Structure formats: structure tokens, C-alpha cells
Amino acid sequence: MKVIVTGASGFLGKVLCSELKSKGHDVTAIVRNKNVCVDADKIICCDLNNYHQLNEIITDRGFDVLYHFAWAGTSGSARGDYSLQIDNIKASCILTEQCKLLECRRIVYASSIMEYEISALMETETDPPVSSVYSAAKMTSDYMMKALAVSNKTEYIRGIISNVYGPGENSPRLVNTTIRKLLKNEHCAFSPGEQMYDFIYIDDAVKAFAAIGEKGTTGRTYYIGSERPRKLKEFLIKLKDIVAYDAIIGIGEIPFNGVSIDYEQFDKEAVLRDTGFRNQITFSEGIKRTAEWIRKEM
């Protein structure tokens, strides 16, 4: 296949490029900074604010799949920056239009479980955090991209990422932050952890994305996670036992102000059923590999 990957230097995009290359695909990587190391046949430097120029920068035509991972402001206070998040929506729409000009048959959009969390929260009387602007933008982008893709006769698939973790991650996500604190003998405080949660190791996540781009059903939303979500506290205790068995973690020391989403709404076997791919790395094995990588980093 001939594929394009946006956000190719990011946590997921970079590993996806390597996975696609290992399968023999021709990979065009789109990055913001040209001084990055990405396993691809062509590396295109183009900020998402300049996506309208892609059909001029990329001279090749006839692509099979475009994987859209690029998104600015995915963590910290930037999640609440509405101007930045609107720019993301606009860039995603422009990218969808560029697919038609680049003669790309299919677009796969990397969505997030957080969109479902904020959607459920908005149904309650709980005050939403300003960071929910990010989730609302991701959800809006999905709706608009899908409508534009259908109008352009471009195949559209959405992948919902649960909570991905693994080597190479430097963002303040839960697993990365918790392992680093445990290795430094720092105290970790959590909510009671009664809410349902799920995790997926980075290698399994990108293999699932590669599979749905290649064999997925047009118009379908695929859940990219494990087949067995559990209470968050069960994951936390397992993580602690693997990384720092004798440590004491503060489960229940901070309040939980979110909502627990119902994972039964997701078809957790759709990836397996449509593509034949099944996750290969257990949570325990994934934590061991991640902790080993972080130890070398510290």
C-alpha cells in the first residue's frame, strides 16, 4: 500500500510508520519538524496550519490510506485553548479535502475515549473542566471529516484509542507519570479508582490501526483497546506490584470528579472480526517493557 501518516513524529505516529514499513508499505510521513528521525520513504515537513499546500508539496498521487494522528495541544493547559483546538478542526477538514486532490482512497482518523467521557459528563449537572474543549474539538472534527469524506467519496474509518502507553512516551499520561514517580520513590495519589478503565500497549495500538487501514470496513468506528476493561484501581495495583512491589500508593486520596463510561457501548471484537488482528501484549508485560525503557531514560 501507499500510505500517508500525519503526526508521524508523535508517540503513536512514529511507531505506526515503523510498523507500516515493516509490512512493506510505501510510507510518506508528515511532520512539523524536519529534524526528526522517522522510518519512512519520504518525510514531508508541513505544519498543520499549512495542510492546504499538501497537494503541491506532495507530487505523488494514488494513495491507499491516510492515517491522521496530528493534533496540537493534546495535554496540559493547551487542551483548554479553544483557538488552538479550532485550528485543529480546520486543519483536519482541509486534510480531508486534500485526500481528494492526492487521490487517496481512505482516511483513518485517530479518535479518543475522552470524547465519550466528556459526552457522558455533559449529560450530568457536573461542571465540565476547561480541558474538555479538547475532547469537544476531537468529536467535532470526527463529525465534520466524516461528512466531508462521504461528500468526496473518500472512505472514512475512525479508531477510538482507549489509553495507550509504552516506550517512547513523554507526555503526562497516567502510566508514564506513575511509573516515573514509583521509580523515584515519590508518592502517588489517585482517586478511589472505581471507574472502569482500559489500556493498550503501543505496539498493539499501532498494529490495530495498520490493520483497520488495510482491512477495515468503510464507515465503521473501531475500538482500539483490550477486550477486558476493568476498574482503574485494579490496573494501578498491578502496575505498582510490577514496578515497585513494596511501595504504598494513595488510592482514594483525591476525589474523582468525572464519570465512569460504559464500555459495553463499544464493539471490542470488531478489529479482530474484520482484520484478524488480536492484541499480543498483556498489561503486565507492557508495564514491564515500559518500566525497563523508563529506567534507561532516567
Side-chain angles (χ1 to χ4, degrees):
M1 294 198 304
K2 286 172 62 178
V3 304
I4 300 173
V5 180
T6 72
S9 60
F11 177 46
L12 275 161
K14 191 172 185 177
V15 183
L16 176 63
C17 285
S18 296
E19 171 65 19
L20 293 168
K21 281 290 293 176
S22 73
K23 294 168 71 72
H25 300 315
D26 184 292
V27 179
T28 296
I30 299 177
V31 299
R32 284 185 299 179
N33 185 349
K34 63 181 180 182
N35 298 317
V36 295
C37 182
V38 178
D39 189 9
D41 296 278
K42 303 181 191 71
I43 298 178
I44 304 294
C45 186
C46 183
D47 184 88
L48 53 78
N49 292 316
N50 294 314
Y51 277 179
H52 60 282
Q53 299 175 351
L54 280 177
N55 70 310
E56 298 172 1
I57 299 172
I58 300 174
T59 56
D60 204 359
R61 294 291 185 271
F63 292 92
D64 294 288
V65 185
L66 185 149
Y67 295 91
H68 182 32
F69 282 89
W71 196 274
T74 59
S75 62
S77 61
R79 280 185 172 177
D81 185 337
Y82 68 86
S83 180
L84 179 65
Q85 299 302 336
I86 289 173
D87 286 345
N88 282 316
I89 297 171
K90 184 178 179 181
S92 298
C93 291
I94 291 172
L95 187 69
T96 308
E97 297 288 20
Q98 290 287 306
C99 274
K100 182 179 181 180
L101 300 173
L102 293 168
E103 299 174 5
C104 182
R105 176 173 57 86
R106 165 172 287 184
I107 185 166
V108 176
Y109 176 56
S111 188
S112 164
I113 196 80
M114 294 182 68
E115 297 158 38
Y116 288 81
E117 292 173 349
I118 195 60
S119 181
L121 183 67
M122 290 295 186
E123 296 297 321
T124 71
E125 295 182 352
T126 303
D127 293 336
V130 70
S131 60
S132 63
V133 172
Y134 160 78
S135 304
K138 289 288 289 186
M139 193 157 49
T140 302
S141 182
D142 168 49
Y143 290 171
M144 296 175 76
M145 288 176 66
K146 187 171 185 178
L148 291 170
V150 170
S151 175
N152 291 337
K153 301 189 185 312
T154 302
E155 299 174 3
Y156 184 83
I157 289 177
R158 176 189 184 209
I160 307 168
I161 308 167
S162 54
N163 291 284
V164 66
Y165 70 97
E169 183 179 18
N170 291 303
S171 71
R173 290 192 181 95
L174 190 148
V175 167
N176 182 44
T177 302
T178 303
I179 291 178
R180 289 177 187 275
K181 282 187 174 182
L182 289 172
L183 292 178
K184 293 178 182 175
N185 294 318
E186 295 178 5
H187 184 66
C188 299
F190 304 101
S191 71
E194 294 291 335
Q195 68 271 35
M196 296 300 289
Y197 230 76
D198 196 16
F199 291 95
I200 184 168
Y201 188 66
I202 179 71
D203 289 6
D204 281 338
V206 299
K207 287 178 188 293
F209 265 103
I212 63 174
E214 185 177 1
K215 302 176 181 176
T217 299
T218 300
R220 184 159 293 171
T221 290
Y222 288 94
Y223 178 72
I224 309 293
S226 77
E227 297 175 8
R228 200 167 74 86
R230 286 169 274 168
K231 290 183 177 180
L232 175 59
K233 66 180 181 182
E234 296 180 29
F235 286 110
L236 295 173
I237 293 170
K238 176 68 74 176
L239 185 157
K240 188 272 297 180
D241 287 346
I242 293 170
V243 177
Y245 185 81
D246 294 328
I248 298 175
I249 56 176
I251 293 179
E253 290 186 351
I254 57 177
F256 174 61
N257 297 318
V259 293
S260 183
I261 61 172
D262 180 10
Y263 280 81
E264 293 303 314
Q265 66 185 300
F266 304 118
D267 183 350
K268 295 182 283 297
E269 296 185 351
V271 174
L272 174 62
R273 188 173 61 248
D274 287 2
T275 73
F277 173 73
R278 166 167 273 163
N279 291 344
Q280 299 164 358
I281 309 298
T282 64
F283 183 71
S284 296
E285 179 61 27
I287 292 299
K288 289 177 185 175
R289 295 185 185 188
T290 306
E292 183 178 342
W293 177 79
I294 292 176
R295 284 192 183 94
K296 293 177 181 176
E297 279 270 295
M298 294 174 64

